[in-house]
Amino acid sequence: MDQVDPLISSIYHWMDVSGVLLMGIIGGTMARQLGYDIVGFFFIAMLSALGGGMLRDVLINQGTVAAMSQPEYLILAFTGALIARFTYFKGRAWEFLQSHGDALVSALWASTGASKAIQYGLPVLPTIMMGVFTATGGGMIRDVVTGREPSVFGGNQPTVIPAVACAVITLLGNATGYLALAMIVGPVVSFAMFLFGYYGNWRISTDSDFAPVNTTVNATASQVAHLARKAEDKSRAVARELEPTRVRSWRHRQMEKALQRRIEAEIRKGKRPAEAMSDADDFLTEFTSQFPAIDAEMLAAAGASAPETTDDEGLFDGIGVDLTGDSYDDEGAEPDPAETEAMNADMLDIILSDDALTDELIERLSARYKQKDA
């Protein structure tokens, strides 16, 4: 790193190799916990200590991977494995070593990874990613190889965010001409963020239900549906006002006759006359106010059938010349609401003309209103 003061470069080199030794010990200790033999110790220690740097160097693709061209890296990684093989760490000592050691090394490596990317002229975002890969890549590879979920993916103290902060500080230092200072401040800030997360129990949210876009869309859809219902109620009120008074009076009389028959039937079943009449009055009021809401399905179920389409269409009836391009405009089109309501009114008139059909309609409507009230 030619842009860095030789003293700072030397300090970081020794910190870098010290981090390799420490991560080798951590990786070897994990191999001990998993019951691996000495081969497993070496492999897990090597992946933990060198995986992030090797991933960075392969992606930068400038020269030989540092871990291969400088033998001290492999020697220190294997030394860490041997230390872990002959010395165990467990309990609070292991928890402290793993968490704080991993965070300290990650802070240093985020800065060295970003500075190496700067040296080779990478853009801003790739430079940050090189810092993150250097800091966390070895741990991710180690976790995958040992069959664990990578700890950086959530549920633990943040490690990626401190690494990003360190890389950004390194970038800012390079842009302002204080790269050497940034390579000191960056790791300090990164490690301080780790300490805040560790002792302050800071966690990145993992709420799987967090979806503000869906929440906004659902709320908007509910508002639109509410406005549509209000418009529909208004149109029904207008339709009732435009309907001829004579027709409405006739329907009312027919329903009164049918309800009188229903009252007599209820009294014969043992219901009190006053209660039967009260229920009938309530139903008549509901029917009068909600008539437009009676749909074709209910009317058809009560005995009136909708107009049927014939199957007498000839083989060549569907063939013709279309000069305007509108021959399919009527297919699949939404029915006209006014036309549908008029058809429903005609069907209702047919039903009210027949006492049996009227009685059946009242039974079905009563059942529907009871379900709605329930």
Side-chain angles (χ1 to χ4, degrees), residues 17 118 144 172 196 255 284 366:
V17 295
I118 291 172
V144 171
L172 292 175
F196 174 74
M255 290 299 297
L284 183 60
S366 298

Side-chain angles (χ1 to χ4, degrees), residues 31 37 43 48 157 214 232 257:
D37 58 19
F43 268 95
S48 299
Q157 287 84 12
N214 297 67
E232 184 180 4
K257 293 178 183 178

Side-chain angles (χ1 to χ4, degrees), residues 20-21 24-25 45-46 49-50 72-82:
V20 171
L21 177 63
I25 295 174
M46 180 184 65
L50 306 178
E72 63 266 27
Y73 285 100
L74 279 174
I75 293 173
L76 287 171
F78 291 153
T79 300
L82 290 174

Side-chain angles (χ1 to χ4, degrees), residues 139-217:
M140 286 194 294
I141 296 173
R142 175 196 64 210
D143 291 341
V144 171
V145 169
T146 56
R148 300 181 179 184
E149 179 182 352
S151 58
V152 299
F153 289 167
N156 299 278
Q157 287 84 12
T159 53
V160 173
I161 292 180
V164 170
C166 181
V168 170
I169 292 173
T170 304
L171 273 168
L172 292 175
N174 178 69
T176 56
Y178 294 97
L179 180 57
L181 178 62
M183 292 180 68
I184 297 175
V185 174
V188 171
V189 172
S190 178
F191 190 67
M193 292 178 68
F194 161 77
L195 293 177
F196 174 74
Y198 184 81
Y199 292 101
N201 200 30
W202 171 37
R203 298 289 190 277
I204 300 176
S205 175
T206 57
D207 183 9
S208 59
D209 294 329
F210 178 72
V213 173
N214 297 67
T215 302
T216 303
V217 170

